[in-house]
Amino acid sequence: MPSELPIVLIVDDVPTNIHILADALRHECRIKVAVHGEEALDIARTAPQPDLILLDVMMPDLDGYEVCRRLKNDPITRAIPIIFVSARDAEDDQTLGFNLGGVDYITKPFSIPVVRARVRTHIRLKRQTDALQHLSRIDPLTGVANRRHFDELIQIEMRRALRDQDPLSLLMIDIDYFKGYNDYYGHGAGDLCLQQVANTLANGLSRPGDLLARYGGEEFIAVLPATVRTAAHQLADRLRINVLQLGIAHAQSPAAAVVTISVGVATLISTPAVLQAHNQSEIDVLLKEADTLLYSAKASGRNCVMS
Ligand code: GH3
Ligand code: MG
Ligand code: MG
Ligand code: MG
């Protein structure tokens, strides 16, 4: 929550240095501390993650540069801004810190007001970046994830499914006779209908790892990790009934007097042949299968699920 105090992780092998920095920041930040590199890596990975790390360079075992390298190599910690705080003030040291992905480099001895100002600045920038990233993944009309977020997430889920040999299901969902709805009730009512259907679909997904995205105009896609075909089919049918029960009048629908959806269900089964395959080609196969089954659902009269 952006209104909460930001969490700052202070990493230094000398407790006195930690105390000075912690005293300087404690009124405006929640402080976590680590006295060596491994501890810093652990804390950085653990939720709630720090919003910023103040990182000493000279430490026994892992030095600050190596800690930074590892944080930047791990997708879970990559986005946390790192400010180096070090007595090593040579140009080369500072340049290396920036080249490794540090956002700033403070040399010791430092001025406390300047440290505070730099910390504030980098936390503000981090929050702006987070807000922009969030916006870039949301469909503005319905508030659910957009196509871009789906494209990113399906890559991650496909890699995970192939690695763990888990099933992975996709639901391709399309509103029935939506062109007729727009033509009859108007585009504004069409937008409202899209919002209600999106809400109902999103609320119908039960597991934390499930994702609903708007895939195109009146088409949605649900990603269901670790879900076998029968379970995905059951879920799809529940979503279908939930939308039906919204009871949005649709005078132009030959399928029902209300707005309905059709759903195609595709499931990845990790056979040895599939394990050899490239992520993207498996994603394409899964999308094609879901689309074909959606088409069959349409051909069978709509308001139904095909798997
Ligand atoms: P089917 O049952 O075969 O899916 O028929 P359909 O009429 O739903 O399919 P079609 O693809 O012919 O029409 C989709 C319509 O969705 C066309 C367009 O008017 C409407 N649509 C797409 N995006 C939006 C949107 O953002 N807002 C509104 N109001 N309508 C949209
Ligand atoms: Mg040190
Ligand atoms: Mg449609
Ligand atoms: Mg469509």
Side-chain angles (χ1 to χ4, degrees):
M1 289 277 146
S3 58
E4 283 173 6
L5 283 185
I7 301 173
V8 172
L9 170 61
I10 302 173
V11 188
D12 203 303
D13 58 322
V14 179
T16 317
N17 292 341
I18 293 182
H19 288 143
I20 293 168
L21 286 168
D23 280 346
L25 298 169
R26 81 169 74 258
H27 293 296
E28 50 197 283
C29 306
R30 251 180 80 193
I31 306 293
K32 295 188 177 192
V33 301
V35 293
H36 57 79
E38 289 290 355
E39 190 184 19
L41 294 171
D42 274 352
I43 294 175
R45 274 193 209 105
T46 309
Q49 289 186 280
D51 296 291
L52 181 95
I53 300 177
L54 290 172
L55 184 55
D56 182 27
V57 172
M58 287 181 284
M59 296 186 288
D61 304 323
L62 296 185
D63 70 11
Y65 297 136
E66 184 54 28
V67 173
C68 180
R69 253 183 223 110
R70 295 192 191 186
L71 289 167
K72 294 297 160 193
N73 269 328
D74 183 344
I76 297 172
T77 53
R78 183 171 295 156
I80 307 171
I82 296 170
I83 302 179
F84 288 101
V85 184
S86 178
R88 281 167 65 162
D89 59 359
E91 244 171 45
D92 283 355
D93 289 314
Q94 300 193 42
T95 310
L96 177 59
F98 283 104
N99 286 342
L100 291 174
V103 292
D104 208 347
Y105 197 110
I106 296 173
T107 54
K108 296 175 189 169
F110 47 73
S111 138
I112 286 182
V114 171
V115 169
R116 270 199 206 112
R118 290 186 175 193
V119 166
R120 267 181 220 145
T121 296
H122 287 295
I123 285 173
R124 193 177 65 238
L125 288 172
K126 169 69 163 46
R127 291 197 158 163
Q128 286 170 354
T129 308
D130 287 353
L132 282 176
Q133 188 183 48
H134 180 72
L135 280 178
S136 76
R137 292 173 167 174
I138 293 284
D139 169 52
L141 178 68
T142 60
V144 303
N146 60 17
R147 175 75 171 263
R148 180 190 291 128
H149 191 186
F150 166 78
D151 287 339
E152 286 170 8
L153 186 106
I154 190 67
Q155 294 283 345
I156 295 167
E157 290 304 335
M158 179 57 76
R159 204 174 310 142
R160 199 198 316 268
L162 292 175
R163 186 193 62 204
D164 299 346
Q165 301 203 31
D166 263 350
L168 171 66
S169 289
L170 282 190
L171 310 182
M172 189 79 87
I173 303 162
D174 187 288
I175 303 181
D176 298 322
Y177 301 111
F178 196 59
K179 187 173 175 335
Y181 188 90
N182 267 305
D183 292 348
Y184 189 78
Y185 296 98
H187 206 262
D191 282 357
L192 206 63
C193 173
L194 277 170
Q195 290 169 339
Q196 286 178 279
V197 170
N199 244 320
T200 302
L201 296 174
N203 289 336
L205 300 183
S206 41
R207 293 206 213 157
D210 296 346
L211 177 91
L212 179 79
R214 187 171 176 203
Y215 194 63
E218 29 77 82
E219 226 169 291
F220 297 88
I221 197 158
V223 183
L224 311 172
T227 306
V228 296
R229 189 181 296 271
T230 48
H233 188 114
Q234 277 171 17
L235 172 59
D237 209 48
R238 205 170 69 221
L239 297 178
R240 182 190 66 77
I241 291 166
N242 290 349
V243 170
L244 183 77
Q245 288 179 342
L246 272 176
I248 304 170
H250 190 344
Q252 300 297 301
S253 169
V258 293
V259 168
T260 56
I261 56 170
S262 297
V263 187
V265 182
T267 302
L268 168 92
I269 309 287
S270 304
T271 62
V274 165
L275 290 174
Q276 302 298 319
H278 183 259
N279 279 347
Q280 188 56 50
S281 59
E282 272 316 305
I283 293 168
D284 292 343
V285 168
L286 211 56
L287 281 169
K288 180 84 183 70
E289 187 190 350
D291 201 49
T292 306
L293 287 159
L294 171 62
Y295 188 81
S296 315
K298 293 283 180 187
S300 319
R302 298 173 172 78
N303 184 26
C304 66
V305 177
M306 285 285 171
S307 63

